[in-house]
Amino acid sequence: MMFEYRPLHPRFGVEVIGADLSQTIDDSGGAEILEAFETHSVLLFRGPVLDDEQQLAFSRLFGEVQVSFSGNQSGATLFSRQSNIDTATDTLMAPDHRQMKYQEGNRLWHSDSSYRPAGSKCSILSAHETPPSGGDTEFVSLRAAWDDLSEEMKGRCEGLSAMHALSYSRSLTGFKMTPEQEAEAPSAMHPLVWVNSNNGRKNLFIGSHASHVEGWPEGEGRQFLTDLLDRATEPSLIYAHAWRDGDVVVWDNRSVLHRATPFDATRHRRLMQRTTIVGDAVPAL
Ligand code: OGA
Ligand code: MN
């Protein structure tokens, strides 16, 4: 092994120590990182802040970088900016700014791009400016959520599919998309139970984009998904990442959910840059 590993949570996630993401990672280092990613679902790297080229080069280790949803602050580019800083003026945005409202959706447990047919393999988030307190990102493992279900519940979940839609999750925070944005944000049906083709680990696939269960009355399906989400996000299952400038966290969008937490956005700056890796069709059971 080239790197050292420190657990972040008893059920998932590791800090990778000894990898310098500002340099080219050689083939054996890259293979070790990919293996750790498939095994642990969340990887933390600490170091100096990466520039965009360095982040893109590291991201490509995981696959093809996806073009962002145009409603994002950085527009339809290879980056998705999570920030309370207005790029044009370099000042803090007011809480009622449309971009601040859009980002409220990040406060719900979600898997990035689960509303796309291919989903997303993983996201890579780098911290450029972090507030002195608050603004943690929280993670839960959907493998742990699956493992903790009773055999009876597992049986009920297998074979079901859920509809994921960005317009649905954004409606939960009262954000109204423009008709053009609605058209650009397709919905996608995904199996409720996924299996990792590298290691055979199963997980639930749920989150705030999931609106209902295919073939079930809408209310019943929504209640079922809400119950599963409540169990999956029970406090003892959460890893809360307290960011330092320069941190890079990679998470597996196929097997973890994440959410943003509040900070004093009217007083402190926060700037995070995300790259998102295109998913590949995940085999249904
Ligand atoms: C994201 C996201 C949460 C945060 O970048 O996809 O949900 O804490 N971020 O910024
Ligand atoms: Mn996200």
Side-chain angles (χ1 to χ4, degrees):
M1 280 203 310
M2 292 175 70
F3 310 123
E4 279 178 54
Y5 297 89
R6 183 183 68 84
L8 299 174
H9 182 280
R11 306 289 295 271
F12 70 110
V14 288
E15 178 180 354
V16 183
I17 300 162
D20 179 356
L21 305 190
S22 69
Q23 303 295 316
T24 305
I25 309 251
D26 67 17
D27 287 352
S28 60
E32 190 176 314
I33 289 171
L34 288 175
E35 177 77 32
F37 164 76
E38 296 290 357
T39 306
H40 300 290
S41 303
V42 176
L43 305 179
L44 163 66
F45 300 84
R46 302 204 116 135
V49 176
L50 296 186
D51 66 30
D52 289 358
E53 280 314 309
Q54 290 165 338
Q55 179 163 350
L56 279 176
F58 174 61
S59 300
R60 290 188 172 117
L61 172 65
F62 296 89
E64 181 192 340
V65 179
Q66 169 184 292
V67 175
S68 283
F69 181 66
S70 69
N72 186 272
Q73 218 190 345
S74 35
T77 67
L78 294 178
F79 289 91
S80 165
R81 183 180 160 109
Q82 319 288 349
S83 170
N84 62 333
I85 304 162
D86 188 324
T87 3
T89 59
D90 198 38
T91 55
L92 300 185
M93 292 188 279
D96 62 353
H97 191 291
R98 189 165 163 83
Q99 274 306 330
M100 297 300 281
K101 289 278 169 213
Y102 180 76
Q103 290 181 82
E104 276 176 19
N106 283 346
R107 299 270 299 278
L108 305 174
W109 288 109
H110 65 282
S111 158
D112 294 326
S113 295
S114 74
Y115 50 86
R116 298 186 191 224
S120 159
K121 180 177 181 183
C122 61
S123 291
I124 297 116
L125 191 62
S126 69
H128 289 242
E129 292 186 64
T130 51
S133 65
D136 292 0
T137 306
E138 296 185 337
F139 299 91
V140 290
S141 164
L142 292 172
R143 289 180 186 161
W146 171 259
D147 291 346
D148 290 352
L149 290 181
S150 65
E151 289 310 310
E152 194 242 321
M153 268 303 273
K154 286 180 179 168
R156 288 184 68 195
C157 291
E158 273 176 303
L160 295 179
S161 292
M163 175 62 91
H164 295 243
L166 181 62
S167 52
Y168 171 68
S169 57
R170 286 303 182 265
S171 75
L172 297 175
T173 57
F175 183 84
K176 275 274 340 122
M177 294 213 259
T178 63
E180 296 75 43
Q181 288 177 337
E182 292 263 5
E184 191 203 333
S187 51
M189 195 71 85
H190 294 297
L192 199 59
V193 185
W194 284 16
V195 57
N196 181 296
S197 51
N198 289 276
N199 55 28
R201 292 286 309 271
K202 281 188 186 174
N203 63 267
L204 276 178
F205 192 64
I206 52 177
S208 65
H209 300 311
S211 66
H212 61 272
V213 175
E214 186 183 25
W216 284 25
E218 200 169 285
E220 203 179 312
R222 196 154 291 169
Q223 190 59 53
F224 188 67
L225 294 172
T226 305
D227 289 347
L228 289 173
L229 191 62
D230 286 348
R231 292 171 193 231
T233 57
E234 197 249 297
S236 69
L237 297 174
I238 298 175
Y239 167 64
H241 184 63
W243 294 94
R244 289 190 212 153
D245 292 1
D247 284 358
V248 173
V249 174
V250 182
W251 64 83
D252 183 342
N253 279 314
R254 305 162 305 180
S255 68
V256 301
L257 295 177
H258 63 285
R259 68 171 176 185
T261 65
F263 67 102
D264 189 348
T266 61
R267 288 180 53 209
H268 300 297
R269 292 165 64 98
R270 184 174 190 266
L271 171 57
M272 318 287 288
Q273 290 240 102
R274 191 183 90 202
T275 37
T276 315
I277 304 303
V278 176
D280 39 20
V282 172
L285 289 180

